[in-house]
Amino acid sequence: MSPALPTGGQVRRVTRDASNYHSEAKLTDLLGDVYIGVFAVAMASTMVFSLSTRLAPGEGPFRQAAQDGPGLAVGWIAVLPAIAAVAAFIGLVTRLGPLSLSGAESTWWLPLPVDRRSLLRPAAYRWPGIGLVVGAVCGAAVSFALPAGPAAMAGTTALFAALTVTLVITAGQLQSRPTAHRAIRVAADLVTAGVPLFGILMALSRTAPPGTTWVALPVAVVLLVVAIGLAVSWDRRLGDVHAVSLRHSGAVTDEALVAVLSLDTRALGRALAVRTQSPRRARSSTMKWLTRVPRSWRPQAALITSDVLLFLRTPRQPVQVLVALGLPVLGLLVPDPGPASTIVLLLIGAYLASLATVEGARRAQISPGLDAAFPIGQRDVRLTRMALPIVVMEFWFIVITAVLGWRFGDPAWWVLLGVLSAPAWAAAAVRGAYRPNATFGGPTITSPMGALPPGLASSVVKGPDVALIGSVPIVVALILGSTHPELLSLQVLLSGVAVAIALHQKTENPEEANPREKP
C-alpha cells in the first residue's frame, strides 16, 4: 500500500517549520513589530479623529464652505481621500495578485501532487484581510468627520470595509480571466485619478457632501453577505488558477518588495507598471520631417521627438500630470486653505507631474546605449531631455499660479513666478531619472530595515534635493501670500543652479559615458 500524499496544509507546515528553523528572529521580535504597527495605526487614527472633531465643535467636525465664490465643502476632505484610498488599494491588489506565490514557493509547491486549493488558501485570504482593515479605517475616518449618530458611524465604517473586501474577492475570482481582471485595474485607476476632478466639480457647484445615515448599516450587511458568498465561491475555485498567473503575480510582488526595501522608487514604478496582457508591436514612426531640420540639430530633434511620442503613447503619464494638477487646485478651493497644506499639495503635485515626463531618461539610465547612440555628448543629451519636462511643467505652473493669483491677487506676478520655476522642476526630474543604482555587492550598513549599501540615502534624495532648492521662492510667496520682485530674481538664480546640477551629474560607471566624450 503506497503512503498517502501530504495535504496542502502539511506542505505549508513543513515549509513554515523549515523557515523558522533557519530564521534568526525571535517571537518577541515579531510581537514587538506587531505591537508597534498596531500602536502606530491607533495613534494616527486617534490624532486624525481628534483633530477632525476640534475643527468646528458647534457645527460638527468640519465647518462649511464660505458663501462667496466657488469653494469645496470641508466634509469632502474626508470623503474624497477615503474613496481614493480604497480605489488605489484595489488597483494595487490587482497588480500584485491578489493570489500570488513567491519565486521559491512557485518552484517548490506547484509541481507537488497535492491539493492546490488547501495549498493556496492562506495566500488567498491575505489581501481580503488587509482590505478589511483599509476599508474600516477609511470608513471610520469618514464617519468621524461627518456629523452622525452611533448607528450611522458604525454603518459607514462597516460599509467601507465590506465594499473593499468584496472588490478584493471579485478581483481574485477574475484573476484567471485577464481581460476582466485588467478591467478592474483600469476602473480602479480611473476612479483614483478622477477624485481630484470630481472634487473640483463639487467645489465649483458648491455641492454639500453626502451625510451618513443609519441606512449605511443594512447596506453594509447586504454587502457582507455578498462578500461571504463570493469568498465561498472563490475558495472552491482556488485550484483552477493557472500556475502562470501565480508565478507572474509573485514575480511582480517580489520585484515590488525588493524595490521598497532598497528605497528604489524607479524600480517600484517599473514593477507596478508590468503588463499582464501580451505586448503588441507598436507601429514605427518614419519621422520624415527630421530631414527639414538642420543637420547639426537633428540628434536633439530626434531625442525630443522620441520623448514626446513615449509620453503621448503611455496614457498613464498624461493622466498622472492631470491628477498632479488637480491636487493643488482642489486644495486651493478649500475655504481658507492654510499655507502648510497648500505648500505640501503643491510640492507633491509638481514632483509627480515632473516625474511623468522623464520616462525616456529613466529607460536610458537602465540602458545607457540609448543615450550613447546619439552623436552628442552626455551633457547635451541631458539638456535635450529637459525639453519635454520644461514644456509640461510650464503648462502645469501656469495653471496652478493662475489659481494662486485668483486666490491671493496679482495673478500676473504669480504666473511669472511659476514660469520661472518650471526649469528647476524639470532639472529635478532629469536628475532623479539618471541617479545611479545602489550596489549591494560591497560592504553594507546595518539598519532597522536590514543591510543597506552605503550611499543609498544620498542616491534616493537625488532629484528631490534640487526640487526643494528650486521651490524656495514659491514656498516663501505662499507663506507671505504675495509675490515680490526679489523672489523672481531668486527664482531665476535657483533655476539656473538646478539646471547646472542636473547637467553635471556623474554617471554610475565610466564605461556608461558617451564614447564620443572620451579623448
Side-chain angles (χ1 to χ4, degrees), residues 179-196:
T179 303
H181 193 68
R182 181 176 179 270
I184 294 180
R185 185 179 75 250
V186 172
D189 294 342
L190 290 178
V191 171
T192 306
V195 165

Side-chain angles (χ1 to χ4, degrees), residues 458-485:
S458 61
S459 176
V460 171
V461 300
K462 286 185 177 179
D465 53 356
V466 172
L468 290 177
I469 294 174
S471 63
V472 169
I474 197 169
V475 168
V476 174
L478 288 173
I479 295 175
L480 299 177
S482 61
T483 58
H484 298 275

